Amino acid sequence: MSDESKAPGKPEETNSITRRDFFNEIAGGALTLAGIGAAVVTVKYASPNVLFEPPTTFRAGSPDDYPVNSVTYLQDQQVYIVRTEKGMWALSAVCTHLGCITQWKPESDQIACPCHGSKFQRTGTVQAGPAPRPLPHFSLVLGEDGALVVDKLEVVKETEILKV
Ligand code: FES
């Protein structure tokens, strides 16, 4: 092909960008990124900084679910439901030494901590080990529909037993 298709005096079209256009593109991109970053920070700042924790009150089923003279571990709540002839109570399964999860040992009629060897009676009383305090009792009541309701935020005396 020849150069006859070019009009005389008309600047040649090219796909190259000028140095000025290049820096304008860079500056525009940087400003866009900064704007997005500022928007994200603003939205995060404006949203409430709330720690969502699981509810401390939970329903533990019917008293009939727990046979007399039983200790039942509710794994999802880390709570024991104990039932004797005297009544029922809810006991924390978290060791009072350093917070390990204890285990019910029916063969020895004890709640034992696997970490440092503390042992508790089913009442929560310390029998052995480094645990400095008994396992706390949580509030256990019967709801209006007859279901057991445990409140892990309300620690009660060992003598508060639910008569069923
Ligand atoms: S955490 Fe249970 S005995 Fe240490």
Side-chain angles (χ1 to χ4, degrees):
M1 295 202 41
S2 70
D3 287 336
E4 293 172 7
S5 61
K6 290 183 193 171
K10 193 173 182 183
E12 184 176 335
E13 286 186 23
T14 63
N15 288 333
S16 65
I17 59 170
T18 64
R19 184 183 171 104
R20 175 177 298 217
D21 291 340
F22 174 75
F23 284 114
N24 282 341
E25 292 291 325
I26 295 290
L31 282 175
T32 303
L33 280 178
I36 291 171
V40 167
V41 169
T42 302
V43 167
K44 206 168 180 184
Y45 177 77
S47 63
N49 193 10
V50 178
L51 181 64
F52 293 100
E53 294 189 2
T56 59
T57 300
F58 68 95
R59 295 163 58 84
S62 164
D64 297 336
D65 298 339
Y66 304 92
V68 175
N69 286 325
S70 69
V71 177
T72 306
Y73 177 53
L74 305 179
Q75 185 173 5
D76 56 334
Q77 298 293 339
Q78 298 179 343
V79 166
Y80 295 107
I81 302 293
V82 182
R83 183 167 186 182
T84 66
E85 294 90 3
K86 294 179 185 174
M88 301 180 74
W89 59 90
L91 200 60
S92 170
V94 179
C95 181
T96 55
H97 180 224
L98 292 177
C100 288
I101 302 303
T102 57
Q103 298 166 349
W104 167 239
K105 302 288 183 185
E107 64 276 5
S108 57
D109 194 27
Q110 286 178 323
I111 296 170
C113 180
C115 293
H116 310 104
S118 289
K119 293 183 174 29
F120 305 87
Q121 295 175 350
R122 62 174 63 194
T123 58
T125 303
V126 179
Q127 278 188 316
R133 294 179 307 281
L135 297 174
H137 286 231
F138 296 135
S139 165
L140 177 67
V141 296
L142 276 178
E144 290 179 3
D145 58 354
L148 295 165
V149 178
V150 180
D151 185 354
K152 294 197 291 184
L153 214 53
E154 188 180 344
V155 174
V156 297
K157 292 180 185 168
E158 185 183 322
T159 53
E160 288 189 33
I161 293 174
L162 177 66
K163 309 281 185 206
V164 287

